[in-house]
Amino acid sequence: MTVFLKMSVSVTFLRPFTKILVPFTLHRKRSIYSTVLQRCMSSKIPAVSYPDKESISPPEQLELDGWKTTMKSSVQEGVSPVLNKDEDTLAATRELIEMWRLLGKEVPEHITEEELKTIMECASKTSKKKYLKFLYLKEKLKKARQIKKERKAAAKEEAKKAMLLETTEEDKQQNFPFLRVWDRRINIAMNWKGVQAMQFGQPLVFDMDFENYMKPKELQNTISQLLESEGWNRRNVDPFHIYFCNLKIDGAYQKELVKRYGGKWDKLLLTATEKSHVDLFPKDKIIYLTADSPNVMTTFKHDRIYVIGSFVDKNMQPGTSLAKAKRLKLATECLPLDKYLQWDVGNKNLTLDQMMRILLCLKNTGSWEDALKFVPRRKHTGYLEISQHSQEFVNRLKKAKPSNSFPKGSHVHTEKVA
Amino acid sequence: MTFPLSGVRSFPNLWKCSPYFGLSPGHSYFFLTDYCGVRNQQRWFSLKRMSPQSTKATNVPIAKARYLRKGEEGSNKQMSFDSPHLFAAGAAKRRSQMNPQSKDHVLSPVKNSSIQLPEKPLDSKEWDKLKEDFQGKANFENWISSQMARCHSPINVAKSLLAWVAAKNNGIVGYNLLVRYLYLCVFHKQTSEVIDVYEIMRARYKRLESGGYSLLIRGLMHSDRWREAVMLLEDIKKVMTPSVKNYNDCIQGALLHQDVNTAWNLYQELLGHDLIPMLETLKAFFDFGKDIKDDHYSKKLLDILLYLRNNQLYPGESFAHSIKTWFESVPGKQWKGQFTTIQKSGQCSCCGKTIESIHLSPEEYEFLKGRIIRDVIDGGDQYKKTTPQELKRFENFVKSCPPFDIVIDGLNVAKMFPKARESQVLLDVVSQLAKQNLQLLVLGRKHMLTQRFRWRKDEMEKVQKQASCFFADDISEDDPFLLYATLNSGNHCKFITKDLMRDHKACLLDIKTQRLFFKWQQGHQLAIINRFPGSKITFQHILTYDTVVQTTGDSWHIPYDEDLVERYSYEVPTKWLCLHQKT
């Protein structure tokens, strides 16, 4: 059945052939027809049953390879003249990065001469790729910000137009008690508080003696965190008097700080000194805060000087700050993270600004639950239930102590407990 | 079936609640001999005790499961006695399997994509349709080509995709598609296609990136134009160090085309870059060596074996076979190779020769000692692990004592059995060793001396009577002291801890010192393998021989990795290839 069906189909196909064939095989027309048919079918059958397998007719096969000729024929950009070796490797690196970009790897689109040199200086392939990825992300962020900025500007423009239309009709005359100079007022108020803190505030020391333990990247992160901490402190109701101790003049810290703060550096309301904290304060009053400490901080003491190491450790050097405290024979403490939080992931070293906010909160309210809300949420699964008994025990301890804490702080605290 | 299993899971938790019956050493003997009976009583007893706490425990099937578990544990115990040594290949794997908490995570199957990958070449209309069906975020051409590369689609399909893209795009195909197509060509070993792509890439791009180069090298090595692949290697070198795989491909190709000199030059270059060659590269040299009867070539092969020795590399199973075949093919020498193991005494089971001793030479020993003090204890800042005062105190203490025979890591030993009281376990171990008239040193921390439930003062006093003790500050590390005391006492001194000391090994800066440390550790570390407190302590036996490629001129002993055994980096193989000349 099927053969017959196909026969009828292929007959039409065979017409041109038959015309040629006829003179030779007229007397055996039938048989010739069948042989030709057969031959034809043997070549056609696969084509019919799998319409697009490799044995497609020659013209189609050519089409599969057609792109090759065009690709080959297209001329490459003019070959640059032979450069000296250094420039050659630079160019080669640039081309390599470009090819990587074509491949969809995470590399920046534009790259400066300077960055290229940094790449060449990278010791290993991995560090090269890491740096390229960093540049890529930087570029991406910059682009996104640019786009956002443009969109905002456009929106503003439109809003302005709309405003213009509206305000023309409205009466502008209204009674306000103040001029709109909020920002400046706030700044002045904060500076006033800062001056107060410089005179009467509790000292909080940032130990800047970790220059040699950090790579440039980590140092930059440290400075960012310091900036942030300083900002949090400035905005607080009752700021600390911040000390930057062991800050070497023209050291890496100082340079970076001056670069970030610019002209403001000299007007900051904090004490930056080359002296060590042990020279400035009595040793028995100093408490060095480090996550490696075996002693757990139970309460915030208002007559102590807390020292925070301004140190971002991405290089796994545990015990560095503890060793510092041991050398100077200082008391150490760590935050009672395990006591209050169900710790999940991440290490217990918190960033400087988180430390600052926790300490500020402790200073003002004395409540651990409140203070520890500044611990990143991803690091723990929640607060631990503290049994009634231990809670009472803590309260008794607190009551037993002569309160030298601020009245406001203790007030808030008792309210909380009750 | 599943029910008893869950019972097994819950077992360790239940067991933790059961009290430890403080068995004095006198009882321990009984404990061992009448092991089964006591275990049974204890089991039922603990079951009864448990019942108010956990209703689950009263379930008979669970009790049954626990009984089964007991049998299993017994067999495990048997196994641990049989297990060769702490650092034997596969030992860590076995240890981890004995730990019931570890669960194997079954990899979830690869998620199904919405689009079925085409199995036959499609024409442009079909590709258009497929593109319309595609709803991913990514670029369709990009996505489909990477999927095809992942699933190793036939190259005709990939080619039809490229033809479609080219037709849409004025005959231009992007570099990423081209590279993925090249990958498929290389994977399916279509050399002529590889050459075509190579021509295209050369025409279009001045330079490629490392991935493209690597694929081209791999593809071209099997063709007649393999020399161009070596040129491509030169191109890579302009920007970065080629990978060991690149070198491997080039060397294999050179050997395939009988160009021995190029192969050796590339090998030298590879070593010059401080890269560790792939074992396949080395195997290729041996495989090729069968057909070459050339003294120069043989010498180089022996150099490779020495390279393995110096870098503590172990050949794989098939490589070991290649080495054996090559040795046996050397004319006139009549080498005979056999796969064997080494006896505990350090003799080869096959030829009876003694394997090299694990002990360090005096110079090596002194060197290691210096490095341990400098890098592990001091480490640039004495305050990190200890204090200078404490270090001084310790040094004086060690000087005042005669050399020790055994140094005990008190805390590690005491915490061996979580159920037992720490001071009791420590006392057991110390008194058993003291009976053998050994000079003992127990290292610990000061908190061990304060009277508490887990550290009884009377027991600690007994310990101090039987052994010299040194207690470090609570925030100091005790392991560096352990290492120092052992090294200072001399070569005969051993130390007891279960700790594998990997963090201290990592403090040593260069890899050569790390290897020396590892060798010393293998020869001097005693690990207690008891699974029950109170029984007579047994140690995992210490290796007396060094597991490394070695020769005596007319014999070679080569340790190798079995294909089916998973060896961790701090373990050594247990199987050997013994080669000797027939006399």
Side-chain angles (χ1 to χ4, degrees):
Chain A
M1 272 301 280
T2 51
V3 172
F4 269 101
L5 255 171
K6 272 174 189 164
M7 248 155 88
S8 61
V9 173
S10 22
V11 166
T12 51
F13 254 50
L14 284 175
R15 225 153 253 154
F17 292 92
T18 46
K19 265 183 196 160
I20 306 161
L21 289 170
V22 164
F24 298 99
T25 53
L26 204 69
H27 56 289
R28 284 174 65 190
K29 198 177 176 185
R30 228 188 100 84
S31 70
I32 249 315
Y33 240 101
S34 62
T35 49
V36 170
L37 248 179
Q38 243 163 21
R39 204 183 299 154
C40 201
M41 268 169 58
S42 65
S43 70
K44 270 290 171 187
I45 279 171
V48 170
S49 52
Y50 323 97
D52 35 17
K53 220 0 207 301
E54 62 272 279
S55 55
I56 326 166
S57 46
E60 252 191 278
Q61 180 121 40
L62 259 181
E63 210 174 280
L64 268 187
D65 283 327
W67 56 276
K68 287 183 182 169
T69 45
T70 49
M71 287 288 282
K72 276 181 207 173
S73 62
S74 60
V75 199
Q76 72 174 60
E77 327 82 71
V79 180
S80 53
V82 182
L83 305 158
N84 61 2
K85 200 175 168 272
D86 239 24
E87 275 176 48
D88 194 35
T89 40
L90 266 181
T93 315
R94 201 180 270 278
E95 274 163 41
L96 171 88
I97 291 163
E98 179 58 22
M99 293 313 278
W100 266 339
R101 202 178 64 80
L102 285 182
L103 202 58
K105 290 246 168 91
E106 290 172 325
V107 293
E109 203 175 330
H110 308 286
I111 202 159
T112 64
E113 214 55 27
E114 207 172 313
E115 286 163 344
L116 209 58
K117 280 201 179 112
T118 323
I119 292 167
M120 307 276 294
E121 278 160 18
C122 288
S124 66
K125 220 182 280 184
T126 325
S127 59
K128 269 180 200 165
K129 282 184 183 165
K130 229 178 186 173
Y131 184 66
L132 280 171
K133 188 175 177 185
F134 165 71
L135 290 179
Y136 165 76
L137 288 175
K138 206 166 121 183
E139 192 175 61
K140 217 172 147 186
L141 259 175
K142 201 174 165 189
K143 251 185 216 160
R145 235 176 265 144
Q146 191 69 35
I147 289 169
K148 203 177 168 189
K149 204 174 163 188
E150 275 161 21
R151 205 177 293 153
K152 250 188 177 169
K156 219 176 181 179
E157 200 70 12
E158 244 167 61
K160 219 177 189 179
K161 271 181 199 163
M163 276 283 279
L164 270 177
L165 288 175
E166 274 177 36
T167 44
T168 44
E169 295 151 23
E170 250 180 59
D171 188 13
K172 267 186 183 173
Q173 288 283 317
Q174 271 182 27
N175 280 325
F176 286 117
F178 304 117
L179 287 174
R180 278 192 209 176
V181 280
W182 284 112
D183 283 358
R184 214 192 313 155
R185 292 269 157 181
I186 288 172
N187 273 338
I188 290 167
M190 285 196 299
N191 280 346
W192 173 250
K193 261 189 308 180
V195 172
Q196 294 282 318
M198 286 284 277
Q199 295 178 61
F200 312 112
Q202 182 180 359
L204 180 76
V205 179
F206 283 97
D207 183 9
M208 316 285 254
D209 197 19
F210 295 91
E211 219 170 283
N212 305 329
Y213 296 90
M214 286 191 285
K215 297 206 174 96
K217 186 98 213 170
E218 293 167 323
L219 189 93
Q220 280 175 13
N221 291 348
T222 309
I223 299 298
S224 303
Q225 291 179 15
L226 277 178
L227 256 64
E228 183 123 337
S229 326
E230 193 269 326
W232 280 108
N233 186 52
R234 202 180 337 168
R235 268 164 276 166
N236 199 270
V237 189
D238 180 25
F240 282 108
H241 174 192
I242 295 182
Y243 282 78
F244 286 169
C245 286
N246 294 320
L247 180 71
K248 282 182 207 73
I249 288 174
D250 291 333
Y253 273 113
Q254 158 103 8
K255 270 184 196 156
E256 193 69 24
L257 275 170
V258 171
K259 191 175 137 198
R260 296 286 195 88
Y261 271 113
K264 273 203 178 158
W265 171 244
D266 294 322
K267 291 176 198 156
L268 279 182
L269 295 169
L270 49 78
T271 309
T273 166
E274 253 186 302
K275 282 188 196 158
S276 169
H277 39 276
V278 284
D279 301 331
L280 294 174
F281 306 104
K283 250 187 182 181
D284 52 331
K285 293 272 182 195
I286 298 178
I287 296 177
Y288 209 110
L289 293 175
T290 161
D292 298 318
S293 169
N295 311 317
V296 180
M297 183 171 173
T298 51
T299 48
F300 181 86
K301 298 179 193 78
H302 295 267
D303 56 341
R304 293 298 154 99
I305 291 110
Y306 287 97
V307 184
I308 302 174
S310 38
F311 178 30
V312 172
D313 177 20
K314 286 189 179 166
N315 209 17
M316 312 289 264
Q317 322 169 50
T320 308
S321 51
L322 184 65
K324 279 220 146 53
K326 258 160 98 182
R327 176 174 296 126
L328 299 171
K329 295 202 179 59
L330 298 175
T332 59
E333 273 182 8
C334 67
L335 294 181
L337 298 174
D338 276 327
K339 192 175 154 199
Y340 289 94
L341 302 173
Q342 185 80 47
W343 202 261
D344 191 18
V345 288
N347 64 6
K348 306 235 163 105
N349 293 328
L350 300 179
T351 60
L352 301 178
D353 56 298
Q354 284 157 13
M355 279 307 285
M356 172 61 100
R357 284 150 82 183
I358 288 172
L359 289 178
L360 281 170
C361 187
L362 280 177
K363 188 175 168 211
N364 295 339
T365 68
S367 145
W368 280 108
E369 279 84 359
D370 274 358
L372 292 182
K373 68 173 184 273
F374 297 114
V375 176
R377 199 54 197 80
R378 67 173 187 281
K379 287 193 175 186
H380 64 93
T381 54
Y383 284 89
L384 279 178
E385 295 278 323
I386 295 168
S387 66
Q388 197 61 37
H389 172 76
S390 63
Q391 184 73 51
E392 274 167 22
F393 181 67
V394 170
N395 286 348
R396 227 182 307 137
L397 268 184
K398 275 177 187 163
K399 269 174 205 162
K401 271 199 177 164
S403 72
N404 49 4
S405 56
F406 284 59
K408 192 190 164 204
S410 56
H411 170 70
V412 171
H413 179 66
T414 44
E415 216 175 56
K416 255 257 167 305
V417 170
Chain B
M1 202 42 220
T2 49
F3 185 56
L5 206 74
S6 66
V8 170
R9 284 264 163 73
S10 65
F11 167 67
N13 292 334
L14 295 177
W15 192 242
K16 268 179 196 152
C17 310
S18 76
Y20 163 62
F21 297 94
L23 292 169
S24 63
H27 285 109
S28 68
Y29 186 61
F30 162 71
F31 194 87
L32 259 188
T33 47
D34 201 3
Y35 161 72
C36 247
V38 174
R39 289 308 288 186
N40 272 336
Q41 278 172 25
Q42 196 171 337
R43 183 162 53 81
W44 286 113
F45 181 63
S46 63
L47 185 64
K48 261 181 237 157
R49 272 179 53 91
M50 219 86 68
S51 47
Q53 294 166 4
S54 145
T55 46
K56 254 190 184 176
T58 52
N59 281 339
V60 180
I62 288 184
K64 219 178 230 169
R66 289 172 56 198
Y67 184 74
L68 285 174
R69 167 77 194 172
K70 193 72 52 178
E72 210 178 289
E73 217 169 66
S75 68
N76 266 347
K77 192 183 169 209
Q78 214 55 48
M79 250 167 61
S80 69
F81 274 122
D82 289 345
S83 75
H85 50 85
L86 194 59
F87 302 103
K93 181 94 183 162
R94 211 172 308 150
R95 279 199 296 273
S96 74
Q97 275 161 358
M98 269 153 71
N99 193 358
Q101 267 99 26
S102 66
K103 283 175 211 154
D104 286 6
H105 288 281
V106 183
L107 282 174
S108 58
V110 183
K111 59 168 184 178
N112 282 322
S113 54
S114 55
I115 288 188
Q116 200 77 37
L117 279 182
E119 284 166 11
K120 312 156 210 158
L122 307 179
D123 59 24
S124 51
K125 264 181 211 150
E126 284 164 311
W127 278 118
D128 282 334
K129 192 179 168 302
L130 206 60
K131 187 173 180 179
E132 273 167 36
D133 293 344
F134 175 70
Q135 287 155 343
K137 270 187 222 158
N139 177 348
F140 171 73
E141 291 86 6
N142 226 338
W143 179 82
I144 194 107
S145 64
S146 59
Q147 286 301 312
M148 275 156 63
R150 185 171 302 159
C151 305
H152 307 306
S153 299
I155 63 168
N156 268 324
V157 184
K159 208 193 266 183
S160 76
L161 170 72
L162 260 57
W164 170 64
V165 172
K168 274 203 317 185
N169 215 3
N170 301 332
I172 305 299
V173 177
Y175 178 70
N176 50 351
L177 294 187
L178 215 53
V179 166
R180 281 177 200 136
Y181 177 64
L182 178 62
Y183 169 77
L184 282 176
C185 296
V186 172
F187 180 82
H188 293 294
K189 300 211 164 53
Q190 299 284 331
T191 312
S192 61
E193 281 299 310
V194 172
I195 289 176
D196 270 358
V197 178
Y198 171 55
E199 293 289 344
I200 289 170
M201 285 187 166
R202 228 172 43 169
R204 277 200 74 75
Y205 306 106
K206 208 165 88 189
R207 238 187 278 268
L208 308 180
E209 47 78 51
S210 46
Y213 277 131
S214 301
L215 285 171
L216 281 179
I217 288 172
R218 173 153 289 186
L220 287 176
M221 274 340 284
H222 302 284
S223 73
D224 298 333
R225 299 172 67 173
W226 66 277
R227 284 199 184 277
E228 289 175 54
V230 182
M231 301 303 293
L232 291 178
L233 193 71
E234 292 296 321
D235 275 357
I236 300 181
K237 269 187 246 166
K238 274 183 193 157
V239 189
M240 52 170 67
T241 326
S243 68
V244 269
K245 260 193 182 151
N246 295 151
Y247 276 112
N248 176 48
D249 291 338
C250 282
I251 290 172
Q252 298 241 19
L255 288 177
L256 195 71
H257 295 92
Q258 312 285 328
D259 189 341
V260 183
N261 282 335
T262 309
W264 283 118
N265 288 342
L266 286 170
Y267 176 66
Q268 280 307 326
E269 207 178 289
L270 160 70
L271 293 185
H273 283 304
D274 273 340
L275 296 170
I276 292 178
M278 291 168 78
L279 290 175
E280 279 146 60
T281 319
L282 307 179
K283 180 177 183 291
F285 278 119
F286 274 90
D287 283 340
F288 186 72
K290 273 178 296 194
D291 310 323
I292 288 196
K293 307 285 169 254
D294 173 11
D295 277 352
H296 191 62
Y297 194 91
S298 315
K299 208 185 142 290
K300 289 206 163 171
L301 288 187
L302 295 184
D303 279 347
I304 289 186
L305 287 179
L306 289 179
Y307 177 83
L308 290 180
R309 177 191 166 83
N310 292 333
N311 292 283
Q312 230 130 76
L313 294 170
Y314 306 109
E317 204 165 329
S318 61
F319 187 8
H321 277 282
S322 299
I323 295 173
K324 179 170 175 275
T325 325
W326 176 75
F327 268 102
E328 284 170 349
S329 77
V330 175
K333 297 279 180 64
Q334 288 203 315
W335 283 97
K336 178 134 181 45
Q338 264 169 318
F339 295 106
T340 177
T341 51
I342 305 296
Q343 287 158 3
K344 278 187 189 177
S345 56
Q347 278 169 329
C348 169
S349 312
C350 169
C351 63
K353 279 208 175 81
T354 310
I355 301 297
E356 277 178 40
S357 158
I358 191 120
H359 293 305
L360 305 185
S361 69
E363 304 90 66
E364 286 175 329
Y365 195 87
E366 281 308 311
F367 176 76
L368 180 65
K369 196 169 137 186
R371 280 308 179 86
I372 292 274
I373 294 171
R374 205 190 76 190
D375 293 343
V376 178
I377 300 180
D378 189 306
D381 186 358
Q382 290 184 343
Y383 285 94
K384 259 193 183 173
K385 293 190 172 158
T386 169
T387 55
Q389 296 85 357
E390 192 174 54
L391 199 61
K392 197 94 218 148
R393 185 164 71 93
F394 182 68
E395 275 171 352
N396 290 336
F397 168 78
V398 169
K399 261 181 221 154
S400 69
C401 296
F404 302 106
D405 297 314
I406 289 183
V407 181
I408 301 168
D409 183 349
L411 280 167
N412 189 290
V413 167
K415 295 200 182 287
M416 202 163 39
F417 309 111
K419 289 154 266 170
R421 190 170 62 241
E422 270 96 344
S423 53
Q424 161 101 50
V425 177
L426 185 61
L427 181 62
D428 280 359
V429 172
V430 167
S431 48
Q432 272 194 47
L433 289 169
K435 272 181 207 147
Q436 301 170 32
N437 268 335
L438 295 167
Q439 194 71 36
L440 301 176
L441 168 63
V442 175
L443 284 167
R445 295 209 178 104
K446 279 182 179 156
H447 73 78
M448 293 160 74
L449 289 174
T450 48
Q451 167 86 22
R452 259 175 307 154
F453 168 65
R454 309 225 78 185
W455 295 99
R456 292 242 304 251
K457 208 159 205 169
D458 53 325
E459 283 168 343
M460 286 313 288
E461 271 163 11
K462 277 185 206 158
V463 167
Q464 275 166 301
K465 256 179 219 154
Q466 287 168 329
S468 322
C469 294
F470 182 85
F471 297 98
D473 291 338
D474 290 344
I475 52 170
S476 296
E477 286 194 37
D478 50 357
D479 291 342
F481 291 125
L482 175 87
L483 297 177
Y484 176 75
T486 316
L487 278 164
N488 197 49
S489 297
N491 208 0
H492 69 285
C493 182
K494 309 257 192 297
F495 62 97
I496 300 181
T497 178
K498 256 189 172 174
D499 195 332
L500 291 166
M501 304 270 172
R502 281 169 289 184
D503 47 345
H504 304 297
K505 193 164 84 175
C507 289
L508 297 167
L509 294 176
D510 58 323
I511 195 142
K512 205 178 158 201
T513 324
Q514 287 186 6
R515 284 205 198 103
L516 274 183
F517 177 77
F518 183 53
K519 191 174 165 185
W520 174 78
Q521 187 190 2
Q522 284 179 64
H524 292 85
Q525 179 163 11
L526 288 164
I528 299 176
I529 49 171
N530 289 32
R531 285 182 68 76
F532 302 105
S535 57
K536 190 176 184 313
I537 54 163
T538 39
F539 295 110
Q540 208 132 36
H541 85 262
I542 287 190
L543 282 179
T544 53
Y545 56 89
D546 190 14
T547 308
V548 71
V549 177
Q550 49 196 282
T551 178
T552 57
D554 59 345
S555 78
W556 278 90
H557 284 92
I558 299 165
Y560 68 92
D561 280 322
E562 289 168 289
D563 287 342
L564 294 176
V565 175
E566 192 183 335
R567 183 171 65 85
Y568 288 25
S569 61
Y570 53 88
E571 296 174 338
V572 292
T574 53
K575 291 287 191 301
W576 290 69
L577 167 63
C578 164
L579 292 154
H580 51 264
Q581 280 175 318
K582 270 187 205 153
T583 44

